Amino acid sequence: MNLESAPQGVVAGSIPLFAGHPARDLLPLDGIQGAIDAIWRGEGATRLFNYGDEQGNPELIEFLVKRLRRGEGLEIGPENLMIIGGSTWGVDMISDQLTQAGDVLLVDAPSYRDALHIFHDHRLELRDVPIDEGGILIAEMERTLRELEAGRRAPKFYYVVPNFQNPSGITMPKDRRRAVIELSRRYGFVIVEDDVYCDIRFGDRLPPSFYALAGGENVLRIGSFSKTLAPGLRIGWLIGAADRIAAFVGSGLLTMGGGANPFTAAIVAQYCRSGAWEAHLRWLREQYRARRDIALAALESLMPASVTCTRPRGGYFIWLGLPSSLRVDDLAAAARERNVYFAPGTGFFVDPADGLHHLRLSFSFLPLEDLRAGIEILGDLIRQRSR
Amino acid sequence: MNLESAPQGVVAGSIPLFAGHPARDLLPLDGIQGAIDAIWRGEGATRLFNYGDEQGNPELIEFLVKRLRRGEGLEIGPENLMIIGGSTWGVDMISDQLTQAGDVLLVDAPSYRDALHIFHDHRLELRDVPIDEGGILIAEMERTLRELEAGRRAPKFYYVVPNFQNPSGITMPKDRRRAVIELSRRYGFVIVEDDVYCDIRFGDRLPPSFYALAGGENVLRIGSFSKTLAPGLRIGWLIGAADRIAAFVGSGLLTMGGGANPFTAAIVAQYCRSGAWEAHLRWLREQYRARRDIALAALESLMPASVTCTRPRGGYFIWLGLPSSLRVDDLAAAARERNVYFAPGTGFFVDPADGLHHLRLSFSFLPLEDLRAGIEILGDLIRQRSR
């Protein structure tokens, strides 16, 4: 089983603190089974096994549009939303359509490792800009944009996980988002917000999305059922201006394949329209919040004072800062000896050296006792090594 | 419902002779339902709803490798095969990894329209080479390669549907394949064989695949369950040299998404391993053969002698040649008035003008009475218009 790029040699009985997956007992298997049964009992099952609409399952599009209009007051219609095969598909498709090899992108430092991987595969040049607890530093972003402009270049887009960022867990507040939109207009780049964690919030409302703040102009927003339903169904959605969505829908990828995963999209549509998703989300937020609390309490009591950590209000991840005397690769090697694995910070930066004193912990996947045990072992190792 | 890029305004009650889909009554829904039930009864259902192995469902890989070794004597191991989300995914992923914008590809004239669309999306330069009833003309192919070489260029790959080609229905014989491989070695390009129709053969054995003839060297071979099981499951496979497969499996696309469609791949694996697929294939070949026979008999008796047609020994398609006095766009306009739609030849060529006197009929999808009625209407229209 893939554990989000498991390091080679992860053994049974180990503690994979890197795994950014839903825990097995958080997957609503009975609900999915019920949705499948309902599909089979209903009419029109046949069409789910043939090619589908290029834009995706119409019932699911309708459900999502209504939910976003009602829940966020988002001014979108069905022409602004398409179904995709998970956020991965979105990131890849956007890269295909908006860029050519050699183009520049802006990303956060740190940024989501697997998205960086896709951008590297597209031979794009990445410029990362430091973040603080409120996300990208606007002055630094502007400095990078001016530098690029001096070389007669502009980024094609800025890729950001705006809520409960992977890997840092931080959420960008409204003012910062507005400032980014202001820069995007001045320098002419698109904002790609990969917003797969927004429904796993533990408290207050989230800031309006980039899409909402920009009135939909030059923003592409990705959503996903992977974190809140089940990754194995491979279903997400993409929101954008009608002409951009039409361009994606009219691409060869969608024309040839006949829309994203018709059968599993129908399962998701059935599940959502029954009301089961909202009920599951309420329960799920409590589960993940309890996990976050356990992780933070363990970090508080078991880590030396020299270790910093973020305190995410949602999502899956906590970002740790190590004492400057301790390199994360040394810590990873020592942890491996104790069967504990985490995601070293080096993977989340354009220049791996920038992540030499950071690491990402995930609280989404592990049994709670393993989560605590893993943090305890890490605390011991850090204490031993940073004396 | 998408009917493989249905022309705008296709109305209910129309006869879509263009639809390259399995007919609804040829989809083994009971078998799929049985596979889903078995998955739910079995152990490990949970893992199918999380991220999967980047290479794809291991049981399905094992099944396909064994089947290809046994059925074709293909010398491959699990390291040579990965699961993909339908052949579309394969064509797109290969384009991503093997090309950059501006690169040249070789394709057949005519060639599969939706693949051309994907190549256009990747901003690739397409050179098409005429085919006859045995596929690409070797002398013409060599002439094109020499021209490119004179401009210090070489194609990145040659894209071909080797068996029951879309749109022509023709199959390339062994000697022609060998000659293409010889050219690929001399001029240094990869062969991408999109072999989604091989299991819908009506008679004799097929020629060995490019992959087999080349000993796996510089050939990527795509297979799919879309034509022989159900397109809506979005499952296919890709065969190649171990290092090439490893590169695809190690891409950001697979790392981030966790392998192709874990849940539906498990359904397909369960279905295949039960023996149901082989039994379905035997039945399916008879069904499609009967459809082909009905279509050819109707063409024989209802078309004027000035119309030519191919006589495919498998697959979904028949390619018609019109009298030179009749343009296919005029015929399409007249047919539309009678609620009959077909795929004009113009879509299958790099220069649409090359297809002005051809069209593609599909015998895979329509009810048999519609298939015959559609051909009868086309025959009448051609007769009226080519006097």
Side-chain angles (χ1 to χ4, degrees), chain B residues 57-118:
Chain B
N57 183 292
E59 289 82 17
L60 186 55
I61 292 172
E62 189 193 349
F63 170 85
L64 288 166
V65 167
K66 276 192 189 159
R67 180 177 190 266
L68 288 158
R69 289 181 68 92
R70 195 180 55 233
E72 301 182 17
L74 207 62
E75 293 180 12
I76 56 169
E79 68 280 10
N80 298 115
L81 191 146
M82 67 185 288
I83 305 303
I84 55 180
S87 72
T88 303
W89 179 330
V91 171
D92 190 60
M93 186 175 69
I94 291 167
S95 301
D96 268 349
Q97 284 222 5
L98 267 56
T99 72
Q100 298 198 23
D103 282 343
V104 186
L105 302 187
L106 292 187
V107 297
D108 291 342
S111 191
Y112 174 34
R113 181 182 54 182
D114 292 344
L116 299 183
H117 191 160
I118 288 184

Side-chain angles (χ1 to χ4, degrees), chain A residues 37-241:
Chain A
D37 287 348
I39 287 171
W40 234 280
R41 283 195 312 270
E43 288 171 37
T46 315
R47 74 182 168 94
L48 309 177
F49 293 97
N50 226 318
Y51 296 101
D53 287 339
E54 284 88 347
Q55 195 178 345
N57 183 292
E59 289 82 18
L60 186 55
I61 291 172
E62 190 192 348
F63 171 85
L64 287 167
V65 168
K66 277 191 188 160
R67 181 177 189 267
L68 287 158
R69 290 181 68 93
R70 196 180 54 233
E72 301 183 17
L74 208 63
E75 292 179 13
I76 56 169
E79 69 280 11
N80 298 115
L81 192 146
M82 67 185 289
I83 305 303
I84 55 179
S87 71
T88 303
W89 178 329
V91 171
D92 190 60
M93 187 175 70
I94 291 167
S95 302
D96 267 349
Q97 285 222 6
L98 266 57
T99 73
Q100 297 198 24
D103 282 343
V104 187
L105 302 187
L106 292 187
V107 296
D108 291 341
S111 192
Y112 174 34
R113 181 182 54 184
D114 292 344
L116 299 183
H117 191 160
I118 288 185
F119 301 144
H120 281 304
D121 287 349
H122 282 82
R123 304 174 198 93
L124 299 168
E125 183 183 327
L126 300 179
R127 295 290 186 96
D128 58 359
V129 178
I131 64 173
D132 64 12
E133 68 286 353
I136 195 163
L137 297 173
I138 297 300
E140 292 289 317
M141 190 179 203
E142 190 161 10
R143 200 175 57 74
T144 303
L145 287 162
R146 276 201 303 264
E147 260 180 40
L148 286 168
E149 194 182 44
R152 295 172 188 281
R153 306 184 75 188
K156 282 289 154 68
F157 61 81
Y158 163 50
Y159 171 81
V160 59
V161 178
N163 297 308
F164 320 124
Q165 195 234 23
N166 184 352
S168 70
I170 63 119
T171 293
M172 194 187 294
K174 185 172 169 181
D175 287 353
R176 196 79 66 98
R177 297 183 189 209
R178 280 200 198 283
V180 169
I181 290 168
E182 174 59 32
L183 288 178
S184 82
R185 288 181 177 157
R186 201 170 338 141
Y187 290 89
F189 58 88
V190 172
I191 297 167
V192 175
E193 58 178 335
D194 190 358
D195 195 12
V196 300
Y197 300 105
C198 60
D199 283 308
I200 307 181
R201 59 176 184 276
F202 305 148
D204 30 334
R205 281 179 80 84
L206 289 170
S209 65
F210 281 101
Y211 188 89
L213 290 171
E217 199 188 319
N218 280 325
V219 177
L220 291 166
R221 177 175 165 190
I222 300 171
S224 174
F225 288 100
S226 290
K227 311 303 176 187
T228 58
L229 184 49
L233 297 171
R234 307 307 307 135
I235 296 293
W237 61 92
L238 177 64
I239 302 170

Side-chain angles (χ1 to χ4, degrees), chain A residues 51, chain B residues 20 22 112 196-197 200 224-231 284 288 316:
Chain A
Y51 296 101
Chain B
Y112 174 34
V196 300
Y197 299 106
I200 307 180
S224 173
F225 289 99
S226 290
K227 311 304 176 187
T228 58
L229 183 49
L284 202 59
Y288 282 123
Y316 280 12

Side-chain angles (χ1 to χ4, degrees), chain A residues 1-2 4-5 20-24 27 29 32-33 36 40 45-54 87-89 91-92 96-101 112 114-115 117-118 121-123 159 194 226-227 230-234 250-253 255-264 267 365, chain B residues 1-2 4-5 20-24 27 29 32-33 36 40 45-54 87-89 91-92 96-101 112 114-115 117-118 121-123 159 194 226-227 230-234 250-253 255-264 267 365:
Chain A
M1 182 179 153
N2 165 48
E4 200 188 337
S5 319
H21 297 201
R24 296 196 177 105
L27 298 169
L29 291 199
I32 294 170
Q33 187 172 20
I36 295 174
W40 234 280
T46 315
R47 74 182 168 94
L48 309 177
F49 293 97
N50 226 318
Y51 296 101
D53 287 339
E54 284 88 347
S87 71
T88 303
W89 178 329
V91 171
D92 190 60
D96 267 349
Q97 285 222 6
L98 266 57
T99 73
Q100 297 198 24
Y112 174 34
D114 292 344
H117 191 160
I118 288 185
D121 287 349
H122 282 82
R123 304 174 198 93
Y159 171 81
D194 190 358
S226 290
K227 311 303 176 187
L233 297 171
R234 307 307 307 135
S251 70
L253 188 70
T255 306
M256 178 168 164
N261 296 335
F263 176 52
T264 58
I267 297 172
F365 179 71
Chain B
M1 183 180 153
N2 165 47
E4 200 188 337
S5 318
H21 296 202
R24 296 197 177 106
L27 298 170
L29 291 200
I32 293 171
Q33 188 172 19
I36 294 174
W40 234 279
T46 314
R47 74 183 170 94
L48 310 176
F49 293 97
N50 226 318
Y51 297 101
D53 287 339
E54 284 88 347
S87 72
T88 303
W89 179 330
V91 171
D92 190 60
D96 268 349
Q97 284 222 5
L98 267 56
T99 72
Q100 298 198 23
Y112 174 34
D114 292 344
H117 191 160
I118 288 184
D121 286 349
H122 282 82
R123 306 175 196 92
Y159 172 81
D194 190 359
S226 290
K227 311 304 176 187
L233 297 170
R234 307 308 308 134
S251 71
L253 188 70
T255 306
M256 178 167 163
N261 297 335
F263 176 52
T264 58
I267 297 172
F365 179 72

